[in-house]
Amino acid sequence: MIAELMQFKKKIRYRFRADSIWIDWDRNNKKQLVIICVSDAINNMDIVHPITDFIYTNWRYNSYNTQRKHAINVVAFLNYLLEKNQDTEFKSLTDLKIIHGDIYLNELSKRGNTRTSINGVDRTLNTLYRYLYKNECLPNVSPNAFETYQNQFGEEVHISLFRNVILPSTASSPLEHTFPSRYIPLLFETAIIVAKPIVLGLYFQIFGGLRVGEVVNITRLGVRYRLDGEVVLLNIRERQLRTDIKDSDGANFVKQERKQQVFIYKEWFESI
């Protein structure tokens, strides 16, 4: 039984965390998958937790990022329950009630999470509760709590279990994501001195908008100059060149295969 493997202790000796593995998906390709582990702080040991099956049951064929998003939502929820276990008699997931989800989602609202973020966690937790109920692990949740309706396209839509959540307003303060251009020369000068092998990849990130996982999958044959010398054209493909990178943040794979232009600033580009 899944519930029997989910006992929580009074002292926070264990923490849940999301990790990743690479497997042989078919004859010619590997695939990165998310796993949920329990970390033992005393023995410094990680054990794959059976709740990982929840991710594969629902998102086995989805992208790694989709799996990771839901795994992180589950991990954060379970760690919150572990922390609150200091003050409650919550011992296993068989003790889980709808109110626990309500409390956690309201806690996210108090922390300042956006409405969109909280709704995403809500969807993950609703799917989790349905999974646990299907596996006979939620004796404290009535089957009548799981309500659905059909939308205009005839699709079945699940109604959220969590009806007592106060969501923040839709308005949000703007975030600054722009790296000040005046610091770019200093950044490259520092990188050349401290970590020269990464400078070209750093250039591709800043002037081509590439992600880390795309940079580490570029080969020499994937780089082409345009005749006017103003642009480099990169062939961004998933080549699985860095499956050795132990990562759960998507830093070792290509999210979208494409041709990508990188603008050339000759004085800088030629120097690196």
Side-chain angles (χ1 to χ4, degrees), residues 106-115 117-118 168:
N106 279 313
E107 174 64 23
L108 295 183
S109 185
K110 292 177 183 177
R111 293 177 187 175
N113 290 43
T114 65
R115 190 185 189 96
S117 172
I118 295 172

Side-chain angles (χ1 to χ4, degrees), residues 75-224:
V75 164
F77 178 56
L78 296 180
N79 282 333
Y80 176 80
L81 296 180
L82 285 176
E83 293 166 3
K84 289 300 178 181
N85 189 36
Q86 296 287 328
D87 305 316
T88 68
E89 294 301 319
F90 194 96
K91 297 178 181 179
S92 78
L93 289 183
T94 57
D95 298 322
L96 197 62
K97 301 176 182 178
I98 292 176
I99 192 173
H100 292 114
D102 285 331
I103 293 172
Y104 177 66
L105 293 173
N106 279 313
E107 174 64 23
L108 295 183
S109 185
K110 292 177 183 177
R111 293 177 187 175
N113 290 43
T114 65
R115 190 185 189 96
T116 300
S117 172
I118 295 172
N119 283 334
V121 176
D122 182 294
R123 286 190 290 271
T124 300
L125 295 188
N126 267 280
T127 309
L128 174 65
Y129 271 63
R130 291 175 184 275
Y131 168 85
L132 293 173
Y133 182 81
K134 184 177 180 180
N135 284 277
E136 301 180 348
C137 297
L138 291 183
N140 295 314
V141 178
S142 167
N144 296 327
F146 299 97
E147 298 181 296
T148 61
Y149 70 92
Q150 283 194 335
N151 63 17
Q152 58 183 336
F153 305 107
E155 300 168 332
E156 186 177 73
V157 179
H158 298 311
I159 298 175
S160 176
L161 296 165
F162 313 113
R163 314 290 177 81
N164 297 305
V165 179
I166 301 176
L167 295 171
S169 62
T170 54
S172 60
S173 58
L175 299 177
E176 181 61 62
H177 291 289
T178 304
F179 186 79
S181 59
R182 64 182 181 276
Y183 295 136
I184 292 179
L186 178 60
L187 174 64
F188 279 107
E189 290 174 6
T190 303
I192 289 172
I193 295 171
V194 176
K196 192 170 183 179
I198 72 166
V199 175
L200 181 60
L202 186 63
Y203 186 97
F204 287 158
Q205 285 187 272
I206 293 177
F207 295 109
L210 272 67
R211 300 166 64 247
V212 174
E214 294 165 345
V215 171
V216 300
N217 276 285
I218 294 175
T219 63
R220 290 179 180 271
L221 294 177
V223 181
R224 292 287 184 271

Side-chain angles (χ1 to χ4, degrees), residues 15 20-21 38 42 49 52 98 108 127 133 145 149 161 171 235:
R15 298 286 295 179
S20 67
I21 58 171
V38 176
I42 295 179
H49 196 281
T52 299
I98 292 176
L108 295 183
T127 309
Y133 182 81
Y149 70 92
L161 296 165
N235 184 16

